[in-house]
Coordinates of all heavy atoms in Angstrom, one line a residue:
M237 N 106.5 -4.6 -1.5 CA 106.0 -5.6 -0.6 C 104.9 -5.0 0.2 O 105.0 -4.0 0.9 CB 107.1 -6.2 0.3 CG 106.7 -6.9 1.5 SD 106.0 -8.6 1.4 CE 107.3 -9.6 2.0
V238 N 103.7 -5.7 0.3 CA 102.5 -5.1 1.0 C 102.6 -5.4 2.5 O 103.2 -6.5 2.9 CB 101.2 -5.6 0.4 CG1 101.1 -7.1 0.5 CG2 100.1 -4.9 0.9
E239 N 102.2 -4.5 3.3 CA 102.3 -4.7 4.7 C 101.3 -5.5 5.5 O 100.1 -5.3 5.3 CB 102.5 -3.2 5.4 CG 103.5 -3.3 6.5 CD 104.0 -2.0 7.0 OE1 104.7 -1.4 6.2 OE2 103.7 -1.6 8.0
R240 N 101.8 -6.4 6.4 CA 101.0 -7.2 7.2 C 100.3 -6.3 8.2 O 100.9 -5.5 8.8 CB 102.0 -8.1 7.8 CG 101.4 -9.2 8.7 CD 102.5 -10.0 9.3 NE 102.2 -10.5 10.6 CZ 102.5 -9.9 11.7 NH1 103.3 -8.9 11.7 NH2 102.1 -10.5 12.8
L241 N 99.0 -6.6 8.4 CA 98.2 -5.8 9.4 C 98.5 -6.2 10.8 O 98.7 -7.4 11.0 CB 96.7 -5.9 9.1 CG 96.2 -5.4 7.8 CD1 94.6 -5.6 7.7 CD2 96.5 -4.0 7.5
S242 N 98.6 -5.3 11.7 CA 98.7 -5.7 13.1 C 97.4 -6.4 13.6 O 96.4 -6.3 12.9 CB 98.9 -4.4 14.0 OG 97.8 -3.7 13.9
A243 N 97.4 -7.0 14.8 CA 96.3 -7.6 15.3 C 95.1 -6.6 15.5 O 94.0 -6.9 15.2 CB 96.6 -8.3 16.7
E244 N 95.5 -5.4 15.9 CA 94.5 -4.3 16.1 C 93.9 -3.9 14.8 O 92.6 -3.8 14.6 CB 95.0 -3.1 16.8 CG 95.6 -3.4 18.2 CD 97.0 -4.0 18.1 OE1 97.9 -3.4 17.5 OE2 97.1 -5.1 18.7
A245 N 94.7 -3.7 13.8 CA 94.2 -3.3 12.4 C 93.3 -4.4 11.8 O 92.4 -4.1 11.2 CB 95.4 -3.0 11.6
R246 N 93.7 -5.7 12.1 CA 92.9 -6.8 11.6 C 91.6 -6.8 12.2 O 90.6 -6.9 11.5 CB 93.7 -8.1 11.9 CG 93.8 -9.1 10.8 CD 94.8 -10.1 11.1 NE 94.8 -10.7 12.4 CZ 96.0 -10.8 13.1 NH1 97.1 -10.4 12.6 NH2 96.0 -11.3 14.3
K247 N 91.5 -6.6 13.5 CA 90.2 -6.6 14.2 C 89.4 -5.4 13.7 O 88.2 -5.7 13.5 CB 90.5 -6.4 15.7 CG 90.6 -7.8 16.4 CD 90.6 -7.7 17.9 CE 91.1 -8.9 18.5 NZ 92.6 -8.9 18.6
S248 N 89.9 -4.3 13.5 CA 89.0 -3.2 13.1 C 88.6 -3.3 11.6 O 87.5 -2.9 11.3 CB 89.6 -1.8 13.4 OG 90.9 -1.7 12.8
A249 N 89.4 -4.0 10.8 CA 89.0 -4.2 9.4 C 87.8 -5.3 9.4 O 86.9 -5.1 8.7 CB 90.2 -4.7 8.6
L250 N 87.9 -6.2 10.4 CA 86.9 -7.3 10.4 C 85.5 -6.7 10.9 O 84.5 -7.3 10.5 CB 87.3 -8.4 11.4 CG 88.3 -9.4 10.8 CD1 88.8 -10.3 11.9 CD2 87.8 -10.2 9.6
V251 N 85.5 -5.7 11.7 CA 84.2 -5.1 12.1 C 83.4 -4.7 10.8 O 82.2 -4.7 10.8 CB 84.5 -3.9 13.0 CG1 83.2 -3.1 13.3 CG2 85.2 -4.3 14.3
E252 N 84.1 -4.2 9.8 CA 83.4 -3.7 8.6 C 83.1 -4.9 7.6 O 82.4 -4.7 6.6 CB 84.3 -2.8 7.9 CG 85.0 -1.7 8.7 CD 84.2 -0.6 8.9 OE1 83.8 0.1 7.9 OE2 83.8 -0.3 10.1
L253 N 83.6 -6.1 7.9 CA 83.4 -7.2 7.0 C 82.4 -8.2 7.5 O 82.8 -9.2 8.2 CB 84.8 -7.9 6.8 CG 85.7 -7.3 5.7 CD1 87.0 -7.9 5.7 CD2 85.1 -7.4 4.3
S254 N 81.2 -8.1 7.0 CA 80.1 -9.0 7.6 C 80.5 -10.5 7.2 O 80.8 -10.7 6.1 CB 78.8 -8.5 7.1 OG 78.2 -9.4 6.3
G255 N 80.4 -11.3 8.3 CA 80.6 -12.7 8.0 C 82.0 -13.2 8.2 O 82.2 -14.4 8.3
W256 N 83.0 -12.4 8.2 CA 84.4 -12.7 8.2 C 84.9 -12.8 9.7 O 84.5 -12.0 10.5 CB 85.3 -11.8 7.5 CG 85.0 -12.0 6.0 CD1 84.0 -11.4 5.3 CD2 85.7 -12.8 5.0 NE1 84.1 -11.8 3.9 CE2 85.1 -12.7 3.8 CE3 86.9 -13.7 5.2 CZ2 85.6 -13.3 2.6 CZ3 87.3 -14.3 4.0 CH2 86.7 -14.1 2.8
A257 N 85.9 -13.7 10.0 CA 86.4 -13.8 11.3 C 87.9 -14.3 11.1 O 88.3 -14.6 10.1 CB 85.6 -14.9 12.1
E258 N 88.6 -14.2 12.2 CA 89.9 -14.6 12.3 C 89.9 -16.2 12.1 O 89.1 -16.9 12.7 CB 90.6 -14.3 13.6 CG 90.5 -12.9 14.0 CD 91.9 -12.1 13.9 OE1 92.8 -12.7 13.3 OE2 91.9 -11.0 14.5
T259 N 91.0 -16.6 11.4 CA 91.1 -18.1 11.3 C 91.9 -18.6 12.6 O 92.8 -18.0 13.0 CB 92.0 -18.4 10.1 OG1 91.5 -17.8 8.9 CG2 92.1 -19.9 9.9
S260 N 91.4 -19.6 13.2 CA 92.0 -20.1 14.4 C 93.3 -20.8 14.1 O 93.4 -21.6 13.1 CB 91.1 -21.0 15.3 OG 90.8 -22.2 14.6
G261 N 94.4 -20.5 14.8 CA 95.6 -21.2 14.7 C 96.5 -20.6 13.6 O 97.6 -21.1 13.4
R262 N 96.1 -19.5 12.9 CA 96.9 -18.9 11.9 C 96.5 -17.5 11.6 O 95.4 -17.1 11.8 CB 97.0 -19.8 10.6 CG 96.0 -19.7 9.6 CD 96.3 -20.6 8.4 NE 96.9 -19.8 7.3 CZ 96.7 -20.0 6.0 NH1 95.8 -20.9 5.7 NH2 97.2 -19.3 5.2
E263 N 97.4 -16.7 11.1 CA 97.1 -15.4 10.7 C 96.5 -15.2 9.3 O 97.1 -15.2 8.3 CB 98.4 -14.5 10.8 CG 98.3 -13.4 11.7 CD 99.6 -12.5 11.8 OE1 99.8 -11.8 10.9 OE2 100.3 -12.7 12.8
A264 N 95.2 -15.3 9.4 CA 94.4 -15.3 8.2 C 93.0 -15.0 8.6 O 92.6 -15.0 9.7 CB 94.4 -16.7 7.5
I265 N 92.1 -14.7 7.6 CA 90.7 -14.5 7.8 C 89.8 -15.5 7.1 O 90.3 -16.0 6.0 CB 90.2 -13.0 7.5 CG1 90.6 -12.7 6.1 CG2 90.9 -12.0 8.5 CD1 90.0 -11.3 5.6
T266 N 88.7 -15.7 7.5 CA 87.9 -16.8 7.0 C 86.3 -16.5 7.0 O 85.9 -15.7 7.8 CB 88.1 -18.1 7.7 OG1 87.5 -19.2 7.0 CG2 87.6 -18.1 9.2
R267 N 85.7 -17.0 6.0 CA 84.2 -16.9 5.9 C 83.7 -18.1 5.1 O 84.3 -18.5 4.1 CB 83.7 -15.6 5.2 CG 82.2 -15.6 5.1 CD 81.6 -14.3 4.6 NE 80.2 -14.5 4.6 CZ 79.3 -13.6 4.1 NH1 79.7 -12.4 3.8 NH2 78.0 -13.9 4.0
T268 N 82.7 -18.7 5.6 CA 81.9 -19.7 4.9 C 80.7 -19.1 4.2 O 79.8 -18.6 5.0 CB 81.6 -20.9 5.8 OG1 82.8 -21.5 6.2 CG2 80.8 -22.0 5.0
F269 N 80.6 -19.2 2.9 CA 79.4 -18.7 2.2 C 78.5 -19.9 1.9 O 78.9 -20.9 1.5 CB 79.8 -18.1 0.9 CG 80.6 -16.8 1.0 CD1 82.0 -16.8 1.1 CD2 80.0 -15.5 1.0 CE1 82.7 -15.7 1.2 CE2 80.7 -14.4 1.1 CZ 82.1 -14.4 1.2
T270 N 77.2 -19.7 2.1 CA 76.2 -20.7 1.8 C 75.2 -20.2 0.8 O 74.5 -19.2 1.0 CB 75.5 -21.2 3.0 OG1 76.4 -21.6 4.0 CG2 74.5 -22.3 2.8
F271 N 75.2 -20.9 -0.4 CA 74.3 -20.4 -1.5 C 73.1 -21.4 -1.6 O 73.0 -22.2 -0.8 CB 75.1 -20.5 -2.8 CG 76.3 -19.5 -2.7 CD1 77.6 -19.9 -2.3 CD2 76.1 -18.1 -2.9 CE1 78.6 -19.0 -2.2 CE2 77.1 -17.2 -2.8 CZ 78.4 -17.7 -2.4
R272 N 72.3 -21.2 -2.6 CA 71.0 -21.9 -2.7 C 71.3 -23.4 -3.3 O 70.6 -24.3 -3.0 CB 70.0 -21.2 -3.6 CG 69.4 -20.0 -2.9 CD 68.5 -19.3 -3.8 NE 68.2 -17.9 -3.3 CZ 69.0 -16.9 -3.5 NH1 70.1 -17.0 -4.4 NH2 68.8 -15.7 -3.0
D273 N 72.4 -23.4 -4.1 CA 72.7 -24.7 -4.7 C 74.1 -24.6 -5.3 O 74.8 -23.6 -5.2 CB 71.7 -25.0 -5.9 CG 71.5 -23.9 -7.0 OD1 72.5 -23.1 -7.1 OD2 70.5 -23.8 -7.6
F274 N 74.6 -25.7 -5.9 CA 75.9 -25.7 -6.5 C 76.2 -24.8 -7.5 O 77.3 -24.1 -7.6 CB 76.2 -27.2 -6.9 CG 77.6 -27.3 -7.6 CD1 78.7 -27.4 -6.8 CD2 77.6 -27.3 -9.0 CE1 79.9 -27.4 -7.5 CE2 78.9 -27.4 -9.7 CZ 80.0 -27.5 -8.9
N275 N 75.2 -24.6 -8.4 CA 75.3 -23.7 -9.6 C 75.6 -22.2 -9.0 O 76.5 -21.6 -9.6 CB 74.0 -23.6 -10.3 CG 74.2 -23.2 -11.7 OD1 75.1 -23.5 -12.4 ND2 73.2 -22.5 -12.2
E276 N 74.9 -21.8 -8.0 CA 75.2 -20.5 -7.5 C 76.5 -20.4 -6.8 O 77.2 -19.4 -6.9 CB 74.0 -20.2 -6.5 CG 73.9 -18.7 -6.3 CD 72.6 -18.4 -5.5 OE1 72.7 -18.5 -4.3 OE2 71.6 -18.1 -6.2
A277 N 76.9 -21.4 -6.1 CA 78.2 -21.4 -5.4 C 79.3 -21.4 -6.4 O 80.3 -20.7 -6.3 CB 78.3 -22.8 -4.5
F278 N 79.2 -22.1 -7.5 CA 80.2 -22.2 -8.5 C 80.2 -20.8 -9.3 O 81.3 -20.3 -9.7 CB 80.0 -23.3 -9.5 CG 81.3 -23.7 -10.1 CD1 82.3 -24.5 -9.5 CD2 81.7 -23.3 -11.4 CE1 83.5 -24.8 -10.0 CE2 82.9 -23.6 -11.9 CZ 83.8 -24.4 -11.3
G279 N 79.1 -20.2 -9.5 CA 79.0 -18.9 -10.1 C 79.8 -17.9 -9.2 O 80.5 -17.1 -9.8
F280 N 79.6 -18.0 -8.0 CA 80.3 -17.1 -7.0 C 81.8 -17.3 -7.2 O 82.6 -16.3 -7.3 CB 79.8 -17.4 -5.6 CG 80.8 -16.8 -4.6 CD1 80.7 -15.5 -4.2 CD2 81.7 -17.6 -3.9 CE1 81.5 -15.0 -3.2 CE2 82.6 -17.1 -3.0 CZ 82.4 -15.7 -2.6
M281 N 82.2 -18.6 -7.2 CA 83.7 -18.8 -7.3 C 84.3 -18.4 -8.7 O 85.3 -17.8 -8.7 CB 83.9 -20.3 -7.2 CG 83.6 -20.8 -5.8 SD 83.8 -22.6 -5.6 CE 85.5 -22.8 -5.4
S282 N 83.4 -18.5 -9.7 CA 84.0 -18.1 -11.1 C 84.1 -16.5 -11.0 O 85.2 -16.0 -11.6 CB 82.9 -18.3 -12.1 OG 82.7 -19.7 -12.2
R283 N 83.2 -15.8 -10.5 CA 83.3 -14.3 -10.4 C 84.4 -13.9 -9.5 O 85.2 -13.0 -9.8 CB 82.0 -13.7 -10.0 CG 80.9 -14.0 -11.1 CD 79.6 -13.5 -10.6 NE 79.4 -12.0 -10.5 CZ 78.4 -11.4 -10.0 NH1 77.3 -12.1 -9.6 NH2 78.4 -10.1 -9.9
A284 N 84.6 -14.5 -8.4 CA 85.7 -14.2 -7.5 C 87.0 -14.6 -8.1 O 88.0 -13.8 -7.9 CB 85.5 -15.0 -6.1
A285 N 87.1 -15.7 -8.9 CA 88.3 -16.1 -9.5 C 88.8 -15.0 -10.5 O 90.0 -14.8 -10.5 CB 88.2 -17.4 -10.2
L286 N 87.9 -14.4 -11.2 CA 88.4 -13.4 -12.2 C 89.0 -12.2 -11.5 O 90.0 -11.6 -11.9 CB 87.2 -12.9 -13.0 CG 86.5 -14.0 -14.0 CD1 85.3 -13.5 -14.7 CD2 87.6 -14.5 -15.0
I287 N 88.3 -11.8 -10.4 CA 88.9 -10.7 -9.6 C 90.3 -11.1 -9.0 O 91.2 -10.3 -9.1 CB 87.9 -10.3 -8.5 CG1 86.6 -9.7 -9.1 CG2 88.5 -9.3 -7.5 CD1 85.5 -9.4 -8.2
A288 N 90.3 -12.3 -8.5 CA 91.6 -12.7 -7.8 C 92.7 -12.7 -8.9 O 93.8 -12.3 -8.6 CB 91.4 -14.1 -7.2
E289 N 92.4 -13.3 -10.0 CA 93.5 -13.4 -11.0 C 93.9 -12.0 -11.5 O 95.1 -11.7 -11.7 CB 93.0 -14.2 -12.2 CG 93.9 -14.5 -13.3 CD 95.2 -15.2 -12.8 OE1 95.2 -15.7 -11.7 OE2 96.2 -15.3 -13.6
K290 N 93.0 -11.0 -11.7 CA 93.2 -9.7 -12.1 C 94.2 -9.0 -11.1 O 95.1 -8.3 -11.5 CB 91.9 -9.0 -12.2 CG 92.0 -7.5 -12.8 CD 90.6 -7.0 -13.2 CE 90.7 -5.5 -13.0 NZ 89.5 -4.9 -12.4
N291 N 93.9 -9.3 -9.8 CA 94.7 -8.6 -8.8 C 96.0 -9.5 -8.4 O 96.6 -9.0 -7.5 CB 93.9 -8.3 -7.6 CG 92.8 -7.4 -7.9 OD1 93.0 -6.5 -8.8 ND2 91.6 -7.5 -7.3
D292 N 96.2 -10.6 -9.0 CA 97.2 -11.5 -8.6 C 97.2 -11.8 -7.1 O 98.2 -11.8 -6.4 CB 98.6 -11.0 -9.1 CG 99.7 -12.0 -8.9 OD1 99.4 -13.2 -9.0 OD2 100.9 -11.6 -8.7
H293 N 96.1 -12.0 -6.6 CA 95.9 -12.3 -5.2 C 94.8 -13.4 -5.1 O 93.6 -13.1 -5.4 CB 95.5 -11.0 -4.4 CG 95.7 -11.3 -2.9 ND1 96.9 -11.5 -2.4 CD2 94.8 -11.4 -1.9 CE1 96.8 -11.7 -1.1 NE2 95.5 -11.7 -0.7
H294 N 95.2 -14.6 -4.6 CA 94.3 -15.7 -4.7 C 93.8 -16.3 -3.4 O 94.5 -16.4 -2.4 CB 95.0 -16.8 -5.6 CG 95.5 -16.3 -6.9 ND1 96.8 -15.7 -7.0 CD2 94.9 -16.3 -8.1 CE1 96.9 -15.3 -8.3 NE2 95.8 -15.7 -8.9
P295 N 92.5 -16.8 -3.4 CA 91.9 -17.3 -2.2 C 92.4 -18.8 -2.0 O 92.7 -19.5 -2.9 CB 90.5 -17.3 -2.5 CG 90.3 -17.4 -3.9 CD 91.5 -16.7 -4.5
E296 N 92.4 -19.3 -0.7 CA 92.4 -20.7 -0.5 C 90.9 -20.9 -0.2 O 90.3 -20.2 0.6 CB 93.2 -20.9 0.9 CG 94.6 -20.5 0.8 CD 95.3 -20.5 2.1 OE1 95.0 -21.4 2.9 OE2 96.2 -19.7 2.4
W297 N 90.4 -21.9 -0.9 CA 88.9 -22.2 -0.7 C 88.6 -23.7 -0.9 O 89.3 -24.4 -1.6 CB 88.1 -21.2 -1.5 CG 88.4 -21.1 -3.0 CD1 89.2 -22.0 -3.8 CD2 87.9 -20.1 -3.9 NE1 89.2 -21.6 -5.0 CE2 88.4 -20.4 -5.2 CE3 87.0 -19.0 -3.7 CZ2 88.1 -19.7 -6.3 CZ3 86.7 -18.3 -4.8 CH2 87.3 -18.6 -6.1
K298 N 87.5 -24.0 -0.4 CA 87.0 -25.4 -0.5 C 85.5 -25.3 -0.8 O 84.7 -24.6 -0.1 CB 87.2 -26.1 0.8 CG 86.7 -27.5 0.9 CD 86.9 -28.2 2.2 CE 86.2 -29.5 2.2 NZ 86.5 -30.2 3.6
N299 N 85.1 -26.0 -1.8 CA 83.6 -26.0 -2.2 C 83.0 -27.4 -1.9 O 83.6 -28.4 -2.3 CB 83.5 -25.7 -3.6 CG 82.2 -26.1 -4.2 OD1 82.1 -26.8 -5.1 ND2 81.1 -25.6 -3.6
V300 N 82.0 -27.5 -1.1 CA 81.2 -28.7 -0.9 C 79.8 -28.3 -1.3 O 79.1 -27.5 -0.5 CB 81.3 -29.2 0.6 CG1 80.4 -30.5 0.7 CG2 82.7 -29.6 0.9
Y301 N 79.3 -28.9 -2.4 CA 77.9 -28.6 -2.9 C 77.6 -27.1 -2.9 O 78.1 -26.4 -3.7 CB 76.9 -29.4 -2.1 CG 75.4 -29.2 -2.5 CD1 75.1 -29.0 -3.8 CD2 74.4 -29.1 -1.5 CE1 73.8 -28.8 -4.2 CE2 73.1 -28.9 -1.9 CZ 72.8 -28.8 -3.2 OH 71.5 -28.5 -3.6
K302 N 76.8 -26.6 -1.9 CA 76.4 -25.2 -2.0 C 77.2 -24.3 -1.1 O 76.9 -23.1 -0.9 CB 74.9 -25.1 -1.8 CG 74.5 -25.5 -0.5 CD 72.9 -25.4 -0.4 CE 72.4 -25.8 1.0 NZ 71.0 -25.5 1.1
T303 N 78.2 -24.8 -0.4 CA 79.0 -24.0 0.5 C 80.4 -23.7 0.0 O 81.0 -24.6 -0.7 CB 79.1 -24.6 1.9 OG1 79.9 -25.8 1.9 CG2 77.7 -24.9 2.5
V304 N 80.9 -22.6 0.2 CA 82.3 -22.2 -0.1 C 83.0 -21.7 1.0 O 82.6 -20.7 1.6 CB 82.3 -21.2 -1.3 CG1 83.8 -20.9 -1.7 CG2 81.5 -21.7 -2.5
E305 N 84.0 -22.4 1.5 CA 84.8 -22.0 2.7 C 86.0 -21.3 2.2 O 86.8 -21.9 1.5 CB 85.1 -23.3 3.4 CG 85.6 -23.1 4.8 CD 85.9 -24.5 5.4 OE1 85.1 -25.5 5.2 OE2 87.0 -24.7 5.9
V306 N 86.2 -20.0 2.6 CA 87.3 -19.3 2.1 C 88.3 -18.8 3.2 O 87.9 -18.5 4.3 CB 86.8 -18.0 1.5 CG1 87.9 -17.1 0.8 CG2 85.7 -18.2 0.4
V307 N 89.6 -19.0 2.9 CA 90.6 -18.5 3.8 C 91.5 -17.5 3.0 O 91.9 -17.8 1.9 CB 91.4 -19.6 4.4 CG1 92.6 -19.1 5.2 CG2 90.6 -20.6 5.2
L308 N 91.7 -16.3 3.6 CA 92.5 -15.3 2.9 C 93.7 -14.9 3.8 O 93.6 -14.6 5.0 CB 91.6 -14.1 2.6 CG 90.4 -14.2 1.7 CD1 89.8 -12.9 1.5 CD2 90.9 -14.8 0.3
A309 N 94.9 -15.0 3.1 CA 96.1 -14.5 3.8 C 97.1 -14.1 2.7 O 96.9 -14.5 1.5 CB 96.7 -15.6 4.6
T310 N 98.0 -13.3 3.0 CA 99.0 -12.9 2.0 C 100.3 -13.7 2.4 O 101.0 -13.4 3.3 CB 99.3 -11.4 2.0 OG1 98.0 -10.7 1.8 CG2 100.3 -11.0 0.9
H311 N 100.5 -14.7 1.6 CA 101.7 -15.6 1.9 C 103.0 -14.8 2.0 O 103.8 -15.1 2.9 CB 101.7 -16.8 0.9 CG 100.4 -17.4 0.7 ND1 99.8 -17.6 -0.6 CD2 99.5 -17.8 1.6 CE1 98.6 -18.2 -0.4 NE2 98.4 -18.3 0.9
E312 N 103.2 -14.0 1.1 CA 104.5 -13.3 1.0 C 104.7 -12.4 2.2 O 105.8 -12.0 2.5 CB 104.8 -12.6 -0.4 CG 103.8 -11.6 -0.6 CD 103.8 -11.0 -2.0 OE1 103.8 -11.8 -3.0 OE2 104.0 -9.8 -2.2
A313 N 103.6 -12.0 2.9 CA 103.7 -11.1 4.0 C 103.6 -11.9 5.3 O 103.8 -11.3 6.4 CB 102.7 -10.0 4.0
G314 N 103.2 -13.1 5.3 CA 103.1 -14.0 6.5 C 101.9 -13.5 7.3 O 101.9 -13.6 8.6
G315 N 100.9 -13.0 6.8 CA 99.7 -12.6 7.5 C 98.6 -11.9 6.6 O 98.6 -12.2 5.4
V316 N 97.7 -11.2 7.2 CA 96.7 -10.5 6.5 C 97.1 -9.1 6.1 O 97.7 -8.4 6.9 CB 95.4 -10.5 7.4 CG1 94.3 -9.7 6.8 CG2 95.0 -11.8 7.9
T317 N 96.8 -8.8 4.9 CA 97.1 -7.4 4.3 C 95.9 -6.8 3.7 O 94.8 -7.5 3.6 CB 98.2 -7.4 3.3 OG1 97.7 -8.1 2.1 CG2 99.5 -8.3 3.8
A318 N 96.1 -5.5 3.3 CA 95.0 -4.8 2.6 C 94.5 -5.6 1.4 O 93.3 -5.5 1.1 CB 95.4 -3.5 2.2
R319 N 95.3 -6.4 0.8 CA 94.9 -7.2 -0.4 C 93.8 -8.2 0.1 O 92.9 -8.5 -0.7 CB 96.1 -8.0 -1.0 CG 97.0 -7.1 -1.7 CD 98.1 -7.9 -2.3 NE 99.2 -7.0 -2.7 CZ 100.4 -7.4 -3.0 NH1 100.8 -8.7 -2.9 NH2 101.4 -6.5 -3.3
D320 N 93.9 -8.8 1.3 CA 92.9 -9.8 1.8 C 91.7 -9.1 2.1 O 90.6 -9.6 1.7 CB 93.5 -10.5 3.0 CG 94.8 -11.2 2.7 OD1 94.8 -12.1 1.7 OD2 95.8 -10.9 3.2
I321 N 91.8 -7.9 2.7 CA 90.6 -7.1 3.1 C 89.8 -6.7 1.8 O 88.5 -6.9 1.7 CB 90.9 -5.9 3.9 CG1 91.8 -6.2 5.1 CG2 89.7 -5.1 4.2 CD1 91.1 -7.2 6.1
D322 N 90.5 -6.3 0.8 CA 89.9 -5.9 -0.5 C 89.2 -7.1 -1.2 O 88.1 -7.0 -1.7 CB 90.9 -5.3 -1.5 CG 91.5 -4.0 -1.1 OD1 90.8 -3.4 -0.1 OD2 92.4 -3.5 -1.6
L323 N 89.9 -8.3 -1.2 CA 89.3 -9.5 -1.8 C 88.0 -9.9 -1.0 O 87.0 -10.3 -1.6 CB 90.3 -10.6 -1.9 CG 89.9 -11.8 -2.6 CD1 89.2 -11.6 -4.0 CD2 91.0 -12.9 -2.8
A324 N 88.1 -9.8 0.3 CA 87.0 -10.2 1.2 C 85.8 -9.3 0.9 O 84.6 -9.8 0.8 CB 87.4 -10.1 2.7
K325 N 86.0 -8.0 0.7 CA 85.0 -7.0 0.4 C 84.4 -7.3 -1.0 O 83.1 -7.3 -1.1 CB 85.5 -5.6 0.3 CG 85.7 -5.0 1.7 CD 86.3 -3.5 1.6 CE 86.5 -3.0 3.0 NZ 87.4 -1.9 3.0
A326 N 85.2 -7.7 -1.9 CA 84.7 -8.0 -3.3 C 83.9 -9.3 -3.2 O 82.9 -9.4 -3.9 CB 85.9 -8.2 -4.2
M327 N 84.3 -10.2 -2.5 CA 83.5 -11.5 -2.3 C 82.2 -11.2 -1.7 O 81.1 -11.8 -2.1 CB 84.3 -12.5 -1.5 CG 85.5 -13.1 -2.3 SD 86.4 -14.3 -1.2 CE 87.2 -15.3 -2.5
N328 N 82.2 -10.4 -0.6 CA 80.9 -10.0 0.0 C 80.0 -9.4 -1.0 O 78.7 -9.6 -1.0 CB 81.1 -9.1 1.2 CG 81.5 -9.9 2.4 OD1 81.7 -11.1 2.5 ND2 81.5 -9.2 3.6
A329 N 80.5 -8.5 -1.8 CA 79.7 -7.8 -2.8 C 79.1 -8.7 -3.8 O 77.9 -8.7 -4.1 CB 80.5 -6.7 -3.5
I330 N 79.9 -9.8 -4.3 CA 79.3 -10.7 -5.2 C 78.2 -11.5 -4.5 O 77.1 -11.7 -5.1 CB 80.4 -11.7 -5.7 CG1 81.5 -10.9 -6.5 CG2 79.9 -12.9 -6.5 CD1 82.8 -11.8 -6.6
A331 N 78.5 -12.0 -3.2 CA 77.4 -12.8 -2.6 C 76.1 -11.9 -2.4 O 75.0 -12.5 -2.5 CB 78.0 -13.2 -1.2
R332 N 76.3 -10.7 -2.1 CA 75.2 -9.8 -1.9 C 74.4 -9.7 -3.1 O 73.1 -9.7 -3.1 CB 75.7 -8.4 -1.4 CG 74.8 -7.8 -0.4 CD 75.4 -6.4 0.1 NE 76.6 -6.6 0.8 CZ 77.8 -6.0 0.5 NH1 77.9 -5.3 -0.6 NH2 78.8 -6.1 1.3
Q333 N 75.1 -9.6 -4.3 CA 74.4 -9.5 -5.6 C 73.7 -10.7 -5.9 O 72.6 -10.7 -6.6 CB 75.4 -9.2 -6.7 CG 75.8 -7.8 -6.8 CD 77.0 -7.6 -7.8 OE1 77.2 -8.4 -8.7 NE2 77.7 -6.6 -7.6
L334 N 74.2 -11.9 -5.3 CA 73.5 -13.2 -5.6 C 72.4 -13.4 -4.6 O 71.7 -14.4 -4.5 CB 74.5 -14.3 -5.5 CG 75.5 -14.4 -6.6 CD1 76.6 -15.4 -6.2 CD2 74.9 -14.8 -7.9
G335 N 72.2 -12.4 -3.7 CA 71.1 -12.4 -2.8 C 71.4 -13.3 -1.5 O 70.5 -13.7 -0.8
V336 N 72.7 -13.4 -1.2 CA 73.1 -14.2 0.0 C 73.8 -13.3 0.9 O 74.7 -12.5 0.4 CB 74.1 -15.4 -0.5 CG1 74.8 -16.0 0.7 CG2 73.3 -16.4 -1.2
A337 N 73.5 -13.3 2.2 CA 74.2 -12.5 3.2 C 73.8 -11.1 3.3 O 73.2 -10.5 2.5 CB 75.6 -12.6 3.2
Ligands
HBI203 N1 97.7 -14.9 -3.3 N2 96.7 -15.1 -1.2 C1 97.8 -14.9 -1.9 N3 98.9 -14.5 -1.3 C2 100.1 -14.3 -2.0 O1 101.2 -14.0 -1.3 C3 100.1 -14.4 -3.4 C4 98.8 -14.7 -4.1 N4 98.8 -14.9 -5.3 C5 99.9 -14.6 -6.1 C6 101.1 -14.2 -5.4 N5 101.2 -14.1 -4.1 C7 102.3 -13.9 -6.3 O2 102.5 -12.5 -6.4 C8 103.6 -14.6 -5.8 O3 103.3 -15.9 -5.5 C9 104.7 -14.5 -6.8

């Protein structure tokens, strides 16, 4: 079982994660990605989905046209863990490759 990060550990991890913030009202982290169009947003989701499935760690997300709103938490730990931080980093890397953020 992976360990839930303390509030302090969460905060210091977020300093390194551009665009991500604490989710209000729950122990999770969130970022909204804005792409050029739907095609690019869906491409981002497809690439992130492959990583998520490989690691058996899945995002909560919502897509509206060119925006993708992501919430990451580890349900079995009841909070944010290193798995969420790793997935957030991977998502940022994909977005960067697409020329966003
Ligand atoms: N994804 N975000 C997230 N959090 C989990 O706890 C989680 C998951 N994907 C798969 C998963 N847990 C499984 O390991 C368990 O539901 C069996």
Side-chain angles (χ1 to χ4, degrees):
M237 160 76 108
V238 63
E239 214 161 293
R240 186 179 147 264
L241 300 181
S242 67
E244 300 78 58
R246 225 164 42 231
K247 272 194 195 80
S248 52
L250 282 173
V251 172
E252 317 273 301
L253 273 175
S254 115
W256 291 82
E258 306 252 14
T259 305
S260 64
R262 84 176 261 221
E263 238 179 76
I265 57 172
T266 188
R267 176 172 177 183
T268 298
F269 293 90
T270 303
F271 298 95
R272 287 176 199 87
D273 53 24
F274 175 75
N275 201 37
E276 202 170 84
F278 205 81
F280 165 82
M281 293 176 82
S282 303
R283 293 173 68 185
L286 294 177
I287 293 169
E289 186 58 10
K290 186 169 153 222
N291 296 329
D292 191 27
H293 195 66
H294 304 89
E296 298 169 34
W297 53 12
K298 176 182 172 180
N299 163 237
V300 178
Y301 179 40
K302 62 181 181 174
T303 70
V304 182
E305 194 181 313
V306 183
V307 176
L308 300 179
T310 304
H311 310 132
E312 64 189 51
V316 177
T317 68
R319 288 183 194 163
D320 301 300
I321 303 304
D322 290 348
L323 183 52
K325 282 182 184 159
M327 287 178 159
N328 276 10
I330 296 167
R332 221 176 291 122
Q333 280 170 25
L334 290 169
V336 165

